[in-house]
Amino acid sequence: MQIAVLKERKPGESRVAATPDSAKRLIGLGFEVVVETGAGEGASFADAQYRDAGATLVKTADEALKAADIVLKVQPPIVEPAGAAEVGKMKKGAILIGMLSALTEPKIARACAEAGLTAFAMELLPRITRAQSMDVLSSQANLAGYKSVLDAAGEFGRAFPMMMTAAGTIPPAKVLVLGCGVAGLQAIATARRLGAVVFGYDVRAASKQEVESLGAKFVEVDPEAAGAAQTAGGYAKEMGEDYGKKQAAVLADALKKQDIAICTALIPGKAAPRLITKEMVAAMKPGSVIVDLAVEAGGNCELSELDKVVVKHGVKIVGHGNVPSRLAQDASMLYARNLFNFVKLITDPKEKTLKIDWEDEIVNGALATRDGSVVHPRLKGA
């Protein structure tokens, strides 16, 4: 059976869905791995490395796709225009595995169904212990949280740690992290390592202990309401109007005292919650920095602009999109290992053939399309 690895074509995407190491591992499972020439260049993986790992190099995506039984992707496949569509070039019955933006771009799932593909959307993976090694959202968010602090440090006009010199003492920077999931916790840890005084905020009560365990201080809004602010899958819920008013007042006061705000709050399949208004930005200290990791979903900050660094009211607002791709080699390595672990799950190691248990919680949870239909309950009717 053949696995195809394509060069990603979305502008700004430097990651690749399989590294030379994961390609070698996939070959060990019994697959033939076909890699489009240049697929790994953006992540500093040369064609020769794939060849040395045992993969076959082909010149075009069309060549890679024509006989592929499994296609590995980072970004969703191109579905239009018809002449350039990757979906239309995959053979009927092929398996597509990648991040498909299934909740926000329903046309992709529909196109996969119409093409007769069995599509697994890795962002739909259930948050259970067995699935942790396949959790692409966590692996990529971890790096994004780290990079967000480096981006903030690069834009900030001062040092992070307290410095005592003969000429005087430089106070430490104050950093507030909004949203304390995987990205937020990594941002807190990174800012602490750089010597900042760090604060964390999240609607979920469970986050307080995690934030404090990293040496940061937790900003509380409504402890009673926070107890019901988490879904069964561990994500934050949308909160009511009363909570929103309390949240705005507390954050407005906290932001006045901060030098840097890192925004990471996201709700899967929905627009990012608006946490920082233009009035809050105007009240921040001149020279402050906001890094908005949620900018691709509309932004946690009202004034963020996608793929831009703007200055508003004397505050720099950083809106880089696709932050994991800015650490392409490490991001690809982690993502490729996530996909390998998923492929391993649906493979019989003895027979070295596909063996998919459609009742498996992980398989069923990530399955978007099968047999010409959109089958995931969260996508039906989209």
Side-chain angles (χ1 to χ4, degrees), residues 9 45 102 152 156 305 368:
R9 284 166 171 77
F45 297 116
F156 190 46
E305 295 184 30

Side-chain angles (χ1 to χ4, degrees), residues 24-368:
K24 185 176 182 178
R25 291 169 181 265
L26 289 167
I27 292 166
L29 290 179
F31 295 99
E32 177 190 356
V33 177
V34 176
V35 179
E36 181 184 358
T37 299
E41 283 181 356
S44 301
F45 297 116
D47 290 340
Q49 291 177 278
Y50 286 100
R51 193 175 291 109
D52 291 345
T56 300
L57 274 292
V58 295
K59 292 183 179 180
T60 67
D62 289 9
E63 289 180 83
L65 290 172
K66 65 182 180 182
D69 301 291
I70 298 176
V71 178
L72 303 182
K73 289 275 293 165
V74 177
Q75 292 288 341
I78 299 169
V79 298
E80 55 188 5
E86 292 170 327
V87 165
K89 296 171 184 176
M90 298 179 198
K91 70 180 186 181
K92 188 174 182 179
I95 295 172
L96 172 64
I97 304 172
M99 293 187 287
L100 306 184
S101 299
L103 295 174
T104 55
E105 296 186 57
K107 67 179 181 181
I108 293 171
R110 289 198 298 267
C112 290
E114 289 168 6
L117 305 179
T118 298
F120 291 101
M122 295 300 287
E123 71 272 18
L124 298 178
L125 209 73
R127 301 193 83 185
I128 59 175
T129 302
R130 264 199 324 125
Q132 286 180 349
S133 66
M134 310 167 208
D135 188 350
V136 297
L137 294 182
S138 291
S139 74
Q140 303 305 288
N142 197 36
L143 287 169
Y146 164 78
K147 184 62 172 171
S148 70
V149 177
L150 300 189
D151 287 339
E155 299 291 346
F156 190 46
R158 290 176 36 212
F160 264 53
M162 181 176 72
M163 296 184 181
M164 302 180 71
T165 75
T169 299
I170 297 172
K174 291 184 178 179
V175 177
L176 173 61
V177 177
L178 302 173
C180 298
V182 174
L185 292 174
Q186 182 57 251
I188 288 171
T190 303
R192 286 275 298 152
R193 286 194 292 268
L194 290 179
V197 174
V198 186
F199 300 81
Y201 165 74
D202 199 290
V203 298
R204 297 165 297 180
S207 297
K208 180 178 180 180
Q209 185 175 353
E210 295 174 314
V211 167
E212 292 177 343
S213 72
L214 292 172
K217 300 174 184 178
F218 190 72
V219 177
E220 280 191 303
V221 171
D222 185 338
E224 188 174 329
Q230 182 168 306
T231 68
Y235 294 105
K237 287 182 180 178
E238 286 187 283
M239 303 299 284
E241 186 177 341
D242 289 343
Y243 184 91
K245 291 178 180 178
K246 292 178 184 178
Q247 173 184 268
V250 170
L251 292 184
D253 182 62
L255 285 164
K256 292 176 185 177
K257 306 168 188 175
Q258 304 301 317
D259 299 301
I260 292 167
I262 308 286
C263 303
T264 76
L266 288 167
I267 299 173
K270 298 182 181 294
R274 184 58 47 80
L275 301 178
I276 302 179
T277 64
K278 57 186 177 183
E279 291 80 12
M280 294 180 190
V281 175
M284 292 178 72
K285 294 183 286 186
S288 299
V289 176
I290 296 170
V291 178
D292 196 344
L293 288 183
V295 67
E296 290 175 288
N300 292 150
C301 176
E302 185 177 1
L303 299 179
S304 323
E305 295 184 30
L306 180 60
D307 293 327
K308 292 183 180 179
V309 178
V310 297
V311 179
K312 303 287 185 179
H313 306 291
V315 176
K316 280 188 179 179
I317 305 172
V318 181
H320 296 308
N322 195 5
V323 174
S325 184
R326 300 176 68 231
L327 294 168
Q329 189 172 77
D330 285 339
S332 296
M333 183 271 289
L334 294 178
Y335 184 79
R337 188 64 65 86
N338 293 148
L339 296 197
F340 167 78
N341 287 331
F342 186 81
V343 173
K344 185 178 179 181
L345 176 70
I346 60 175
T347 303
D348 185 324
K350 292 182 179 179
E351 299 297 326
K352 294 194 173 183
T353 58
L354 281 179
K355 186 178 181 181
I356 304 176
D357 178 1
W358 299 106
E359 300 303 315
D360 184 283
E361 187 177 1
I362 296 173
V363 171
N364 191 260
L367 183 63

